Amino acid sequence: MRSLIRGWEVGMAALAWLLIPLAAAIGAGVWGSWANRTRRMRSDGPELDGYARFREAMEKSHSGT
């Protein structure tokens, strides 16, 4: 009887260790969906425009340096 209980405990421990990565994967999927929710509503236009202005400013030659 003790070996049966011990086997059940080992099986439950293995199941618990397998459920941890499963829960992490589900959590990552939920977070990814939540983080990407606004990207569908707007494009990357404002960010790309800002980057283009930054790049132009950095390419300008500065006299005196």
Coordinates of all heavy atoms in Angstrom, one line a residue:
M1 N 0.8 -1.2 0.0 CA 0.0 0.0 0.0 C 0.9 1.3 0.0 O 0.6 2.2 -0.7 CB -0.9 0.0 1.2 CG -1.9 1.1 1.3 SD -3.1 1.0 0.1 CE -4.2 2.3 0.5
R2 N 2.0 1.2 0.8 CA 2.9 2.4 0.8 C 3.5 2.7 -0.6 O 3.7 3.8 -0.9 CB 4.0 2.2 1.8 CG 3.5 2.3 3.2 CD 4.7 2.2 4.2 NE 4.2 2.3 5.5 CZ 4.7 3.2 6.4 NH1 5.6 4.0 6.0 NH2 4.2 3.2 7.6
S3 N 3.8 1.7 -1.3 CA 4.4 1.9 -2.6 C 3.4 2.5 -3.6 O 3.8 3.3 -4.4 CB 5.0 0.6 -3.2 OG 4.0 -0.3 -3.4
L4 N 2.2 2.2 -3.4 CA 1.1 2.8 -4.2 C 1.0 4.2 -3.9 O 0.9 5.1 -4.8 CB -0.2 2.0 -4.0 CG -1.4 2.5 -4.9 CD1 -1.1 2.3 -6.3 CD2 -2.6 1.8 -4.5
I5 N 1.0 4.6 -2.6 CA 0.9 6.0 -2.2 C 2.1 6.8 -2.7 O 2.0 7.9 -3.2 CB 0.7 6.1 -0.7 CG1 -0.7 5.5 -0.4 CG2 0.8 7.5 -0.3 CD1 -1.0 5.5 1.1
R6 N 3.3 6.1 -2.6 CA 4.5 6.8 -3.0 C 4.5 7.0 -4.5 O 4.9 8.1 -5.0 CB 5.7 5.9 -2.6 CG 7.0 6.5 -3.0 CD 7.5 7.6 -2.1 NE 8.8 8.1 -2.5 CZ 9.2 9.3 -2.6 NH1 8.3 10.3 -2.3 NH2 10.4 9.6 -3.0
G7 N 4.0 6.1 -5.3 CA 4.0 6.2 -6.7 C 3.0 7.3 -7.1 O 3.2 8.1 -8.0
W8 N 1.9 7.5 -6.4 CA 0.9 8.5 -6.6 C 1.6 9.9 -6.3 O 1.4 10.8 -7.1 CB -0.3 8.3 -5.7 CG -1.4 9.3 -6.0 CD1 -2.2 9.3 -7.1 CD2 -1.7 10.4 -5.2 NE1 -3.1 10.4 -7.0 CE2 -2.8 11.1 -5.8 CE3 -1.2 11.0 -4.0 CZ2 -3.4 12.2 -5.3 CZ3 -1.8 12.1 -3.5 CH2 -2.9 12.7 -4.1
E9 N 2.3 10.0 -5.2 CA 3.0 11.3 -4.9 C 4.0 11.7 -6.0 O 4.1 12.8 -6.3 CB 3.7 11.2 -3.5 CG 2.7 11.1 -2.4 CD 3.4 10.8 -1.1 OE1 4.6 10.6 -1.1 OE2 2.7 10.8 0.0
V10 N 4.8 10.7 -6.5 CA 5.7 11.0 -7.5 C 5.0 11.4 -8.8 O 5.5 12.4 -9.4 CB 6.6 9.7 -7.8 CG1 7.5 9.9 -9.0 CG2 7.5 9.4 -6.5
G11 N 4.0 10.8 -9.1 CA 3.2 11.1 -10.3 C 2.6 12.5 -10.2 O 2.6 13.3 -11.2
M12 N 2.1 12.9 -9.0 CA 1.6 14.2 -8.8 C 2.7 15.3 -8.9 O 2.5 16.4 -9.4 CB 0.8 14.3 -7.5 CG -0.5 13.5 -7.5 SD -1.6 14.0 -8.8 CE -2.1 15.5 -8.3
A13 N 3.9 15.0 -8.4 CA 5.0 15.9 -8.4 C 5.4 16.1 -9.9 O 5.7 17.3 -10.3 CB 6.2 15.4 -7.6
A14 N 5.5 15.1 -10.6 CA 5.8 15.2 -12.1 C 4.7 16.0 -12.8 O 5.1 16.9 -13.6 CB 5.9 13.8 -12.7
L15 N 3.5 15.8 -12.5 CA 2.4 16.6 -13.1 C 2.5 18.0 -12.7 O 2.3 18.9 -13.6 CB 1.1 16.0 -12.6 CG -0.2 16.7 -13.2 CD1 -0.2 16.6 -14.7 CD2 -1.4 16.1 -12.6
A16 N 2.9 18.3 -11.5 CA 3.0 19.7 -11.1 C 4.2 20.4 -11.8 O 4.0 21.5 -12.3 CB 3.3 19.8 -9.6
W17 N 5.3 19.7 -12.0 CA 6.4 20.3 -12.8 C 6.1 20.4 -14.3 O 6.6 21.3 -14.9 CB 7.6 19.4 -12.6 CG 8.4 19.7 -11.3 CD1 8.4 18.9 -10.2 CD2 9.1 20.9 -11.0 NE1 9.1 19.6 -9.3 CE2 9.6 20.8 -9.7 CE3 9.4 22.1 -11.7 CZ2 10.3 21.7 -9.1 CZ3 10.2 23.0 -11.1 CH2 10.6 22.9 -9.8
L18 N 5.2 19.6 -14.8 CA 4.8 19.8 -16.2 C 3.7 21.0 -16.3 O 3.7 21.6 -17.4 CB 4.2 18.5 -16.7 CG 5.2 17.4 -16.9 CD1 4.4 16.1 -17.3 CD2 6.2 17.8 -18.0
L19 N 3.0 21.2 -15.3 CA 2.0 22.3 -15.3 C 2.6 23.7 -15.2 O 2.0 24.6 -15.7 CB 0.9 22.1 -14.2 CG 0.0 20.9 -14.5 CD1 -1.0 20.8 -13.3 CD2 -0.8 21.1 -15.7
I20 N 3.8 23.8 -14.6 CA 4.4 25.1 -14.5 C 4.7 25.7 -15.9 O 4.3 26.8 -16.2 CB 5.6 25.0 -13.6 CG1 5.2 24.7 -12.2 CG2 6.5 26.3 -13.7 CD1 6.4 24.4 -11.2
P21 N 5.4 25.0 -16.8 CA 5.7 25.5 -18.1 C 4.4 25.8 -18.9 O 4.3 26.7 -19.7 CB 6.6 24.5 -18.8 CG 7.0 23.5 -17.8 CD 6.1 23.7 -16.6
L22 N 3.4 24.9 -18.7 CA 2.1 25.1 -19.4 C 1.4 26.4 -19.0 O 1.0 27.1 -19.8 CB 1.2 23.9 -19.1 CG -0.2 24.0 -19.8 CD1 -0.1 24.0 -21.3 CD2 -1.0 22.8 -19.3
A23 N 1.4 26.6 -17.7 CA 0.9 27.9 -17.2 C 1.7 29.1 -17.6 O 1.1 30.1 -18.0 CB 0.8 27.8 -15.6
A24 N 3.0 28.9 -17.7 CA 3.8 30.0 -18.2 C 3.5 30.3 -19.7 O 3.4 31.5 -20.1 CB 5.3 29.7 -18.0
A25 N 3.3 29.3 -20.5 CA 3.0 29.5 -21.9 C 1.7 30.1 -22.1 O 1.5 31.0 -22.9 CB 3.1 28.1 -22.6
I26 N 0.7 29.7 -21.3 CA -0.6 30.3 -21.4 C -0.6 31.8 -21.0 O -1.1 32.7 -21.6 CB -1.7 29.5 -20.5 CG1 -1.9 28.2 -21.2 CG2 -3.0 30.3 -20.4 CD1 -2.7 27.2 -20.3
G27 N 0.2 32.0 -19.9 CA 0.3 33.4 -19.4 C 1.0 34.3 -20.5 O 0.7 35.4 -20.7
A28 N 2.0 33.7 -21.2 CA 2.8 34.5 -22.2 C 1.8 34.8 -23.4 O 1.9 35.8 -24.0 CB 4.0 33.7 -22.7
G29 N 1.0 33.8 -23.7 CA 0.0 34.0 -24.8 C -1.0 35.1 -24.5 O -1.3 36.0 -25.3
V30 N -1.5 35.1 -23.2 CA -2.4 36.1 -22.8 C -1.8 37.5 -22.8 O -2.3 38.5 -23.3 CB -3.0 35.8 -21.4 CG1 -3.8 36.9 -20.8 CG2 -3.9 34.5 -21.5
W31 N -0.5 37.6 -22.3 CA 0.2 38.8 -22.2 C 0.5 39.3 -23.7 O 0.3 40.5 -23.9 CB 1.5 38.7 -21.5 CG 2.2 40.0 -21.4 CD1 2.0 41.0 -20.6 CD2 3.3 40.4 -22.3 NE1 2.9 42.0 -20.9 CE2 3.7 41.7 -21.9 CE3 3.9 39.8 -23.4 CZ2 4.7 42.4 -22.6 CZ3 4.9 40.5 -24.1 CH2 5.3 41.8 -23.7
G32 N 0.9 38.4 -24.5 CA 1.1 38.8 -25.9 C -0.1 39.4 -26.6 O 0.0 40.4 -27.3
S33 N -1.2 38.7 -26.4 CA -2.5 39.2 -27.0 C -2.8 40.6 -26.4 O -3.3 41.5 -27.1 CB -3.6 38.3 -26.7 OG -3.3 37.0 -27.3
W34 N -2.6 40.8 -25.1 CA -3.0 42.0 -24.5 C -2.0 43.1 -24.9 O -2.5 44.3 -25.2 CB -2.9 41.9 -22.9 CG -3.2 43.1 -22.2 CD1 -4.4 43.7 -22.0 CD2 -2.2 44.0 -21.6 NE1 -4.2 44.9 -21.3 CE2 -2.9 45.1 -21.1 CE3 -0.8 44.0 -21.6 CZ2 -2.3 46.1 -20.4 CZ3 -0.2 45.1 -20.9 CH2 -0.9 46.1 -20.4
A35 N -0.7 42.8 -25.0 CA 0.2 43.8 -25.4 C 0.0 44.3 -26.9 O 0.4 45.4 -27.3 CB 1.6 43.3 -25.2
N36 N -0.5 43.4 -27.7 CA -0.7 43.7 -29.2 C -2.0 44.2 -29.5 O -2.4 44.4 -30.6 CB -0.4 42.4 -29.9 CG -0.2 42.6 -31.4 OD1 0.3 43.7 -31.8 ND2 -0.5 41.7 -32.2
R37 N -2.9 44.5 -28.5 CA -4.2 44.9 -28.7 C -4.4 46.2 -29.4 O -5.3 46.4 -30.2 CB -5.0 44.9 -27.4 CG -4.7 46.1 -26.5 CD -5.2 45.9 -25.1 NE -5.0 47.1 -24.3 CZ -3.8 47.4 -23.8 NH1 -2.8 46.7 -24.1 NH2 -3.7 48.5 -23.1
T38 N -3.5 47.2 -29.2 CA -3.6 48.5 -29.8 C -2.9 48.6 -31.1 O -3.2 49.5 -31.9 CB -3.1 49.6 -28.9 OG1 -1.7 49.3 -28.6 CG2 -3.8 49.6 -27.6
R39 N -2.1 47.7 -31.4 CA -1.3 47.7 -32.7 C -2.3 47.5 -33.9 O -2.0 48.0 -35.0 CB -0.2 46.7 -32.7 CG 0.8 46.9 -33.8 CD 2.0 46.0 -33.6 NE 2.8 46.4 -32.5 CZ 3.8 47.3 -32.5 NH1 4.1 47.9 -33.7 NH2 4.5 47.6 -31.5
R40 N -3.4 46.8 -33.7 CA -4.3 46.6 -34.8 C -5.1 47.9 -35.1 O -5.5 48.1 -36.2 CB -5.3 45.5 -34.4 CG -4.7 44.2 -34.3 CD -5.8 43.1 -34.0 NE -5.1 41.9 -33.5 CZ -5.4 41.4 -32.4 NH1 -6.2 41.9 -31.5 NH2 -4.7 40.3 -32.0
M41 N -5.3 48.8 -34.1 CA -6.0 50.0 -34.2 C -5.2 51.1 -34.9 O -5.8 52.0 -35.5 CB -6.6 50.4 -32.9 CG -7.6 49.5 -32.3 SD -8.3 50.2 -30.9 CE -7.5 49.3 -29.6
R42 N -3.9 51.1 -34.7 CA -3.1 52.2 -35.3 C -1.9 51.6 -36.0 O -1.5 50.5 -35.7 CB -2.7 53.2 -34.2 CG -1.8 52.6 -33.2 CD -1.4 53.6 -32.2 NE -0.7 53.0 -31.1 CZ 0.6 52.8 -31.1 NH1 1.3 53.2 -32.1 NH2 1.2 52.3 -30.0
S43 N -1.4 52.3 -36.9 CA -0.2 51.8 -37.7 C 1.0 52.3 -37.0 O 1.0 53.0 -36.0 CB -0.3 52.3 -39.1 OG -0.1 53.8 -39.1
D44 N 2.1 52.0 -37.6 CA 3.4 52.4 -37.0 C 3.8 53.8 -37.6 O 5.0 54.2 -37.4 CB 4.5 51.4 -37.3 CG 4.3 50.1 -36.5 OD1 3.8 50.2 -35.5 OD2 4.8 49.1 -37.0
G45 N 2.9 54.5 -38.3 CA 3.3 55.7 -38.9 C 3.9 56.8 -38.0 O 5.0 57.3 -38.3
P46 N 3.3 57.1 -36.8 CA 3.9 58.1 -36.0 C 5.3 57.7 -35.5 O 6.2 58.6 -35.4 CB 2.9 58.2 -34.8 CG 1.6 57.7 -35.3 CD 2.0 56.7 -36.4
E47 N 5.5 56.5 -35.2 CA 6.8 56.0 -34.7 C 7.8 56.2 -35.8 O 9.0 56.6 -35.6 CB 6.8 54.6 -34.2 CG 6.0 54.5 -32.8 CD 4.6 54.3 -33.0 OE1 4.1 54.3 -34.2 OE2 3.9 54.2 -32.0
L48 N 7.5 55.8 -37.0 CA 8.4 55.9 -38.1 C 8.7 57.3 -38.5 O 9.8 57.6 -38.9 CB 7.8 55.1 -39.3 CG 7.8 53.6 -39.2 CD1 7.1 52.9 -40.4 CD2 9.1 53.0 -38.9
D49 N 7.7 58.2 -38.4 CA 7.9 59.6 -38.7 C 8.9 60.2 -37.7 O 9.8 61.0 -38.0 CB 6.6 60.4 -38.6 CG 5.7 60.0 -39.8 OD1 6.2 59.4 -40.8 OD2 4.4 60.2 -39.7
G50 N 8.7 59.8 -36.4 CA 9.6 60.3 -35.4 C 11.0 59.8 -35.6 O 12.0 60.6 -35.4
Y51 N 11.2 58.6 -36.0 CA 12.5 58.0 -36.3 C 13.1 58.7 -37.4 O 14.3 59.0 -37.4 CB 12.4 56.5 -36.5 CG 13.7 55.9 -36.9 CD1 14.7 55.8 -35.9 CD2 14.0 55.5 -38.2 CE1 16.0 55.3 -36.3 CE2 15.2 55.0 -38.5 CZ 16.2 54.9 -37.6 OH 17.4 54.3 -37.9
A52 N 12.3 59.1 -38.5 CA 12.9 59.8 -39.6 C 13.4 61.2 -39.2 O 14.5 61.6 -39.7 CB 11.8 59.9 -40.7
R53 N 12.6 61.8 -38.4 CA 13.0 63.2 -37.9 C 14.3 63.1 -37.1 O 15.2 63.9 -37.2 CB 11.9 63.8 -37.1 CG 10.8 64.3 -37.9 CD 9.9 65.2 -37.1 NE 9.4 64.6 -35.9 CZ 8.3 63.9 -35.8 NH1 7.5 63.7 -36.9 NH2 7.9 63.4 -34.7
F54 N 14.4 62.0 -36.2 CA 15.6 61.8 -35.4 C 16.8 61.6 -36.3 O 17.9 62.1 -36.1 CB 15.4 60.7 -34.5 CG 16.6 60.2 -33.8 CD1 17.1 60.9 -32.7 CD2 17.2 59.0 -34.2 CE1 18.3 60.5 -32.0 CE2 18.4 58.6 -33.5 CZ 18.9 59.3 -32.5
R55 N 16.6 60.7 -37.3 CA 17.7 60.4 -38.2 C 18.2 61.6 -39.0 O 19.4 61.8 -39.1 CB 17.3 59.3 -39.2 CG 18.5 58.6 -39.8 CD 18.0 57.4 -40.6 NE 17.2 57.9 -41.7 CZ 16.1 57.3 -42.2 NH1 15.7 56.1 -41.6 NH2 15.4 57.8 -43.1
E56 N 17.3 62.4 -39.4 CA 17.6 63.7 -40.1 C 18.4 64.6 -39.2 O 19.4 65.2 -39.7 CB 16.4 64.4 -40.7 CG 15.7 63.6 -41.8 CD 14.4 64.2 -42.2 OE1 14.0 65.3 -41.6 OE2 13.7 63.6 -43.1
A57 N 18.0 64.7 -38.0 CA 18.7 65.6 -37.1 C 20.1 65.1 -36.8 O 21.0 65.9 -36.6 CB 17.9 65.7 -35.8
M58 N 20.3 63.8 -36.7 CA 21.6 63.3 -36.4 C 22.5 63.4 -37.6 O 23.7 63.4 -37.5 CB 21.5 61.8 -36.0 CG 20.8 61.6 -34.6 SD 21.4 62.6 -33.3 CE 22.9 61.7 -33.0
E59 N 22.0 63.4 -38.8 CA 22.8 63.5 -40.0 C 23.2 65.0 -40.3 O 24.1 65.1 -41.1 CB 22.0 63.0 -41.2 CG 21.9 61.4 -41.2 CD 21.0 60.9 -42.3 OE1 20.4 61.7 -43.0 OE2 20.9 59.7 -42.4
K60 N 22.6 65.9 -39.7 CA 23.0 67.3 -40.0 C 24.4 67.6 -39.5 O 24.8 67.1 -38.4 CB 22.0 68.3 -39.3 CG 20.6 68.3 -39.9 CD 19.8 69.3 -39.2 CE 18.4 69.4 -39.7 NZ 17.5 70.3 -39.0
S61 N 25.1 68.4 -40.3 CA 26.5 68.7 -39.8 C 26.4 69.8 -38.8 O 25.7 70.7 -39.0 CB 27.3 69.0 -41.0 OG 26.8 70.2 -41.6
H62 N 27.2 69.7 -37.8 CA 27.3 70.7 -36.8 C 28.6 71.4 -36.9 O 29.7 70.8 -36.8 CB 27.1 70.1 -35.4 CG 25.8 69.4 -35.2 ND1 24.7 70.1 -35.0 CD2 25.5 68.1 -35.1 CE1 23.7 69.3 -34.8 NE2 24.2 68.0 -34.9
S63 N 28.6 72.7 -37.0 CA 29.8 73.5 -37.1 C 30.3 73.8 -35.7 O 29.5 74.0 -34.8 CB 29.6 74.8 -37.9 OG 28.7 75.6 -37.2
G64 N 31.6 73.8 -35.5 CA 32.2 74.1 -34.2 C 32.5 72.9 -33.4 O 32.9 73.0 -32.2
T65 N 32.2 71.7 -33.9 CA 32.6 70.5 -33.1 C 33.6 69.7 -33.9 O 33.7 69.7 -35.1 CB 31.3 69.6 -32.8 OG1 30.7 69.3 -34.1 CG2 30.4 70.3 -31.9

